[in-house]
Amino acid sequence: MIVTRVVQSAAMAGLLVGAACGDATGPKFVNLPASFRTEACVRGQVTRHQSVSGSLASTDCDGGSQYYEMYQLKVGADGAPDMLLTSTVFDTYLELYTVDSVIGDQVYGSSVSADDDSGGGTNALISGVTLLASEDYLVYVGGFDYTETGAYTLSIK
């Protein structure tokens, strides 16, 4: 089941974004200031055909009803990749944001899609959402509630 929700976290209320960065061979990620990366628990960057592993803990960011971490996402070409969040120890929750507008040093993000259990069992899956190579995205990785912590894998296929 895909759901949408209003983001309550202060980090998502005003995303700070700087100039684009990257190398000539890969996608150019938005350069997020260190203060934002810390405040929003941005753990790294991911592109299509990559997986990252992490661990959700009570010391991560507080999303109002669960702990979370975030990853920057760029796709190399327009398309609809599958975004799968799996864990053998907790009920996963996944949300995708675009970066919509820049006002001064603030960038506002919009929720594109979210999922709790469409990936089988308690795994989250976002699929069928067309992403544009020209856009910047943030992927929100969380648990269903505050009891959900532990190891996870985020795969962008």
Side-chain angles (χ1 to χ4, degrees), residues 1 3 6 15 20 25-26 32 41 51 59 62-63 69 76 92 94 99 102 106-107 118 123 129-130 134 142 149:
M1 178 170 97
V3 298
V6 176
L15 305 177
T25 61
L32 300 174
C41 296
S51 294
T59 55
D62 185 339
E69 298 178 339
T92 62
L94 185 61
V99 175
V102 178
Q106 301 276 322
V107 173
S118 295
N123 297 316
V129 177
T130 299
S134 61
T149 58

Side-chain angles (χ1 to χ4, degrees), residues 28 30 73-75 98-100 131-137:
K28 296 183 184 290
V30 170
L73 170 65
K74 283 293 274 189
V75 294
T98 60
V99 175
D100 294 331
L131 304 184
L132 304 177
S134 61
E135 296 289 327
D136 292 290
Y137 300 92

Side-chain angles (χ1 to χ4, degrees), residues 9-75:
S9 80
M12 285 307 297
L15 305 177
L16 302 178
V17 177
C21 65
D23 64 37
T25 61
K28 296 183 184 290
F29 286 90
V30 170
N31 183 18
L32 300 174
S35 59
F36 173 76
R37 288 192 309 268
T38 300
E39 181 182 342
C41 296
V42 176
R43 300 298 185 231
Q45 300 172 333
V46 64
T47 61
R48 186 179 281 178
H49 307 298
Q50 284 188 325
S51 294
V52 293
S53 294
S55 185
L56 202 58
S58 61
T59 55
D60 285 321
C61 285
D62 185 339
S65 62
Q66 76 268 85
Y67 301 112
Y68 73 91
E69 298 178 339
M70 297 186 84
Y71 291 88
Q72 290 179 263
L73 170 65
K74 283 293 274 189
V75 294

Side-chain angles (χ1 to χ4, degrees), residues 56-58 66-67 89-92 142-150:
L56 202 58
S58 61
Q66 76 268 85
Y67 301 112
V89 294
F90 71 92
D91 185 357
T92 62
F144 180 73
D145 61 30
Y146 283 125
T147 65
E148 313 293 346
T149 58

